[in-house]
Amino acid sequence: MSLEWLGIQLLGGVAALLGVLAFQCRHDIRMLVMLSGSCLVWSLHFLLLAQPTAALLNVITAVRNLVGIRCRGAWFASGFIGLYLVTGSYSWQSVWDILPVVAVISGSVGVFFLAGLPRRGALLIGSLLWLVFNWQAGSIPGVLVMFADGVSNSWRIYRLRRQAQRSELSDRG
């Protein structure tokens, strides 16, 4: 365990902390700006871990979050999904690089085209793919934050499904 490795992990910890703090913001614009900052720090973290695909995808996500402050629509989402695909193809190093590409596409589809449980399912898929990618890339903060996201989202999905089943039963009875 070198000092350099610890510094890279600390940088990932800063990115994770920024992401968590972003979701504590009451205003969407501040949240999106902070998430963009988090993505830029994640990008540097992945660059230092020699993971250029993940680094570039995080830069694009940072831009997507900032542009998303003012822009909406299917064309917007489709454009970023296309950009993710082109970037993933361009920076491809190994089969592992498909995981973050599919993760950001799944997240984008969830955010822009789905709602309710399907949206949460798409986001859960993205979190799990990032978790596996982070594990193989050696990003300890990435594993921890994606594990927490996955558990939290899974619990919420379980509770929403249970609530929907109860509601369905009470409508029948």
Side-chain angles (χ1 to χ4, degrees):
M1 190 174 353
S2 72
L3 196 55
E4 178 184 350
W5 182 85
L6 286 173
I8 292 169
Q9 298 305 318
L10 180 62
L11 191 61
V14 170
L17 181 62
L18 282 172
V20 169
L21 290 175
F23 287 114
Q24 304 309 309
C25 292
R26 292 178 190 220
H27 303 288
D28 285 352
I29 293 173
R30 178 175 278 151
M31 178 191 70
L32 289 171
V33 169
M34 286 186 68
L35 283 174
S36 292
S38 174
C39 286
L40 292 175
V41 178
W42 277 119
S43 183
L44 182 56
H45 172 74
F46 284 120
L47 195 59
L48 294 171
L49 287 173
Q51 300 294 329
T53 300
L56 289 169
L57 294 174
N58 271 284
V59 169
I60 294 167
T61 301
V63 172
R64 183 196 71 190
N65 290 343
L66 292 174
V67 172
I69 291 170
R70 301 267 184 233
C71 302
R72 299 260 188 266
W75 62 270
F76 167 72
S78 298
F80 276 100
I81 289 170
L83 190 55
Y84 286 135
L85 288 169
V86 168
T87 300
S89 298
Y90 172 76
S91 62
W92 183 273
Q93 288 188 319
S94 76
V95 71
W96 289 106
D97 289 334
I98 198 165
L99 296 175
V101 172
V102 175
V104 293
I105 290 171
S106 178
S108 294
V109 168
V111 167
F112 294 111
F113 298 112
L114 302 174
L117 285 172
R119 173 182 285 167
R120 289 187 174 275
L123 294 173
L124 178 60
I125 289 168
S127 292
L128 295 175
L129 292 171
W130 272 112
L131 186 145
V132 173
F133 177 81
N134 287 329
W135 181 269
Q136 73 77 36
S139 173
I140 293 170
V143 169
L144 294 175
V145 78
M146 288 299 119
F147 179 78
D149 281 357
V151 168
S152 175
N153 199 9
S154 295
W155 178 248
R156 178 60 63 190
I157 288 169
Y158 169 76
R159 290 182 64 204
L160 288 171
R161 290 187 74 195
R162 210 170 81 193
Q163 181 181 13
Q165 289 171 343
R166 279 192 217 142
S167 178
E168 188 177 294
L169 287 174
S170 69
D171 287 347
R172 289 183 191 167

